[in-house]
């Protein structure tokens, strides 16, 4: 299969490129090499076209003779503040719209889209009295007082977090999250209008070699690792008991391979969680990395970033059913590897 892979030089994109070529597929690799993601441009293991997915003429040219598109290009991460909004919307949503229009014009009908757990907002919660409930945004005064668990919106009693299935309510709570959901909506509209196939892979907390480092867009695993390699203790917000689903980049690449090699339902978007299904806390990640690096113990400092959610852990059942995918890298093994893995050098911050 000949596949256009956008974001091919990125953290996840480069792992996908390796996996696809190892399984006999031909890739057309495209990447804008944004400094927020790459800093120093990386050495790539595959021929790379340096260009922007918003360049319609270039994208149409690259789509000639392509069987499917694997769309990884995006601005990612928590960002800095709302001043990031135009850049996120331009790269993620306009870029996706240009790509979809070019696919329509060139007759390419298969898309695998990198989506994210962030489209869910808070995870899935159950109240002993009220059943499944959707908590509201946590209040600043509660966070300041160290009350981190979201209460039941009906009776204010504590909630029990559960695994999040794909049919859960979507409630993006950051700029990045809003743009990822918009990408899904654009792709769904394209599928309905063209009869095309879209698999939207909702990645959970991806970690592994060549994560971005030293930028405000870096993930928590990279931030912890960077601190430890500077001899500093990882700084853990809230009480460290926030639950997440950490999935290794190798497993994410394998999931993309499976999504490209299996047919999805035509004329609609098929969303699939890409996850381990194993709850881990942020504190547990910090402690495991500290031990693996031989560094200082984490410092739990309280507080929270605006719009951070408390618990998000995914249900992996659909990925097993429709893709035959199951994460294989165990958390302990992945963390030990990550403790010494190379990171991507980010742009210098001032």
């Amino acid at each position: 299969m000949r596949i256009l892979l956008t974001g091919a030089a990125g953290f996840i994109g480069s792992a996908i490129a390796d996996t696809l070529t190892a399984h006999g597929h031909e890739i057309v690799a495209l990447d804008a090499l944004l400094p927020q993601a790459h800093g120093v441009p990386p050495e790539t293991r595959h021929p790379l076209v340096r260009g922007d997915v918003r360049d319609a003429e270039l994208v149409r040219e690259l789509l000639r003779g392509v069987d499917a598109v694997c769309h990884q290009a995006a601005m990612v991460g928590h960002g800095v503040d709302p001043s990031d909004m135009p850049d996120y919307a331009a790269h993620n949503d306009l870029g996706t719209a240009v790509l979809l229009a070019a696919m329509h014009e060139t007759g390419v009908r298969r898309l695998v889209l990198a989506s994210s757990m962030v489209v869910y907002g808070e995870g899935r919660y159950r109240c002993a009295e009220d059943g499944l409930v959707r908590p509201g945004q946590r209040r600043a005064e509660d966070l300041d007082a160290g009350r981190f668990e979201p209460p039941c919106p009906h009776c204010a009693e504590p909630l029990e977090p559960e695994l999040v299935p794909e049919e859960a309510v979507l409630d993006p709570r950051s700029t990045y999250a809003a743009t990822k959901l918009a990408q899904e909506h654009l792709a769904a509209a394209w599928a309905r209008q063209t009869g095309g196939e879209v698999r939207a892979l909702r990645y959970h907390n991806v970690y592994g070699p060549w994560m971005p480092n030293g930028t405000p867009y870096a993930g928590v695993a990279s931030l912890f690792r960077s601190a430890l390699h500077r001899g500093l203790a990882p700084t853990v917000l809230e009480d460290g008991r926030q639950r997440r689903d950490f999935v290794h980049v190798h497993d994410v690449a394998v999931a993309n391979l499976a999504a490209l090699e299996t047919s999805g339902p035509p004329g609609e978007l098929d969303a699939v969680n890409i996850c381990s299904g194993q709850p881990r806390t942020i504190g547990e990640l910090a402690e495991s990395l500290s031990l693996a690096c031989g560094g200082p113990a984490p410092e739990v400092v309280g507080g929270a970033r605006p719009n951070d959610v408390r618990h998000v852990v995914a249900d992996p059942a659909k990925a097993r059913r429709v893709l035959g995918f199951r994460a294989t890298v165990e958390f302990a093994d992945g963390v030990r590897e990550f403790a010494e893995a190379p990171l991507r050098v980010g742009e210098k911050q001032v």
Side-chain angles (χ1 to χ4, degrees), residues 216-239:
Y217 307 93
V220 66
S222 175
L223 297 175
F224 290 165
R225 229 295 300 274
S226 298
L228 286 162
H229 276 236
R230 296 195 306 271
L232 304 175
T235 300
V236 179
L237 298 180
E238 302 189 23
D239 57 3

Side-chain angles (χ1 to χ4, degrees), residues 183-206:
Q183 284 184 305
E184 288 197 14
H185 287 321
L186 289 166
W190 170 85
R192 285 192 293 270
Q193 293 174 71
T194 65
E197 299 176 14
V198 182
R199 278 259 165 76
L201 304 185
R202 291 177 179 162
Y203 304 156
H204 285 251
N205 288 73
V206 186

Side-chain angles (χ1 to χ4, degrees), residues 293-311:
C293 293
E299 294 180 1
V300 179
V301 298
R305 296 187 302 182
N307 298 316
D308 261 0
V309 298
R310 181 62 174 173
H311 304 298

Side-chain angles (χ1 to χ4, degrees), residues 244-269:
R244 295 292 187 269
D245 191 316
F246 295 100
V247 58
H248 195 275
V249 68
H250 169 75
D251 284 326
V252 172
V254 170
N256 276 269
L257 173 68
L260 287 161
E261 291 186 337
T262 58
S263 295
E268 62 182 88
L269 179 140

Side-chain angles (χ1 to χ4, degrees), residues 157-347:
E157 290 299 309
L159 299 175
E160 182 65 29
E162 296 186 347
L163 298 184
V164 183
E166 287 82 358
E167 63 270 19
V169 174
L170 304 181
D171 183 20
R173 299 192 178 191
S174 70
T175 296
Y176 172 60
T179 63
K180 296 309 287 185
L181 183 54
Q183 284 184 305
E184 288 197 14
H185 287 321
L186 289 166
W190 170 85
R192 285 192 293 270
Q193 293 174 71
T194 65
E197 299 176 14
V198 182
R199 278 259 165 76
L201 304 185
R202 291 177 179 162
Y203 304 156
H204 285 251
N205 288 73
V206 186
Y207 73 101
W210 301 110
M211 284 191 79
N213 171 37
T215 90
Y217 307 93
V220 66
S222 175
L223 297 175
F224 290 165
R225 229 295 300 274
S226 298
L228 286 162
H229 276 236
R230 296 195 306 271
L232 304 175
T235 300
V236 179
L237 298 180
E238 302 189 23
D239 57 3
R241 296 176 185 170
Q242 312 93 297
R243 290 165 39 138
R244 295 292 187 269
D245 191 316
F246 295 100
V247 58
H248 195 275
V249 68
H250 169 75
D251 284 326
V252 172
V254 170
N256 276 269
L257 173 68
L260 287 161
E261 291 186 337
T262 58
S263 295
E268 62 182 88
L269 179 140
D270 190 32
V272 184
N273 287 326
I274 303 302
C275 60
S276 70
Q278 299 297 317
R280 303 285 179 177
T281 68
I282 298 292
E284 185 178 358
L285 172 66
E287 291 168 2
S288 298
L289 272 175
S290 293
L291 287 171
C293 293
E299 294 180 1
V300 179
V301 298
R305 296 187 302 182
N307 298 316
D308 261 0
V309 298
R310 181 62 174 173
H311 304 298
V312 188
V313 179
D315 186 341
K318 183 176 180 180
R320 291 198 295 266
R321 186 173 72 251
V322 303
L323 300 181
F325 168 77
R326 184 190 300 267
T328 60
V329 179
E330 294 292 338
F331 179 78
D333 296 334
V335 168
R336 279 194 298 270
E337 177 210 35
F338 181 62
E340 298 300 329
L343 297 183
R344 197 174 295 267
V345 178
E347 65 177 348

Side-chain angles (χ1 to χ4, degrees), residues 127-143:
C127 174
E129 293 293 326
D130 298 294
L132 284 176
V133 296
R134 191 73 182 165
Q137 184 161 324
R138 294 182 296 169
R139 302 182 305 173
E141 54 266 36
D142 288 336
L143 298 174

